Amino acid sequence: MGYRWLAWALVAVHFGYLAYLLLGGFVALRWRWTLPVHLAAAGWAVAVVAGHLPCPLTAAQDAARHAAGLPPLTGGFLDSYVRGVFYPRGAGTLAQLVLGSAVLASWALVVLRWRRPWRECWSGRRS
């Protein structure tokens, strides 16, 4: 029973990672110290997707599922929990482009925010 819970906890960690990947740059607008963490998370995502690297969270989840007597995920985390739920099955590339655009937009806002004082940047006043 404990391994089954661990497998589900790893699903939650996976979703947390994806949420942070999408929103972490916006979090860095408020807390600068989070930007290096977000850069690492985004770099890892690019490495996994572009380099076809195995995801350690998926490997850990498969190990927990095996220990619980459950079959491994077919196709990994994205195929099992994300594709077809958050976006249509045939739209993986589009989903990656939207996610990447959101991340880049958040980083652009971070750069704008750090280059100009807060009140000047967000109040609409020009210098």
Side-chain angles (χ1 to χ4, degrees):
M1 184 67 123
Y3 287 109
R4 197 176 288 244
W5 283 101
L6 177 59
W8 281 109
L10 288 165
V11 170
V13 170
H14 248 125
F15 276 117
Y17 169 78
L18 290 179
Y20 185 68
L21 183 61
L22 178 62
L23 302 172
F26 297 106
V27 171
L29 286 168
R30 177 70 172 102
W31 296 289
R32 287 185 184 195
W33 63 269
T34 64
L35 188 60
V37 177
H38 190 252
L39 290 169
W44 179 253
V46 169
V48 167
V49 171
H52 303 287
L53 297 177
C55 176
L57 287 173
T58 301
Q61 186 180 2
D62 280 342
R65 289 176 63 86
H66 177 73
L70 300 170
L73 296 175
T74 56
F77 174 79
L78 292 178
D79 282 342
S80 299
Y81 299 105
V82 178
R83 285 187 186 111
V85 176
F86 290 100
Y87 59 87
R89 287 216 173 260
T93 302
L94 177 61
Q96 290 171 356
L97 288 172
V98 169
L99 176 67
S101 297
V103 169
L104 291 175
S106 70
W107 290 348
L109 288 172
V110 167
V111 168
L112 286 174
R113 166 64 183 98
W114 287 0
R115 290 185 70 197
R116 295 173 34 192
W118 177 262
R119 289 175 191 227
E120 182 181 322
C121 186
W122 300 111
S123 69
R125 287 186 262 162
R126 308 268 178 189
S127 53

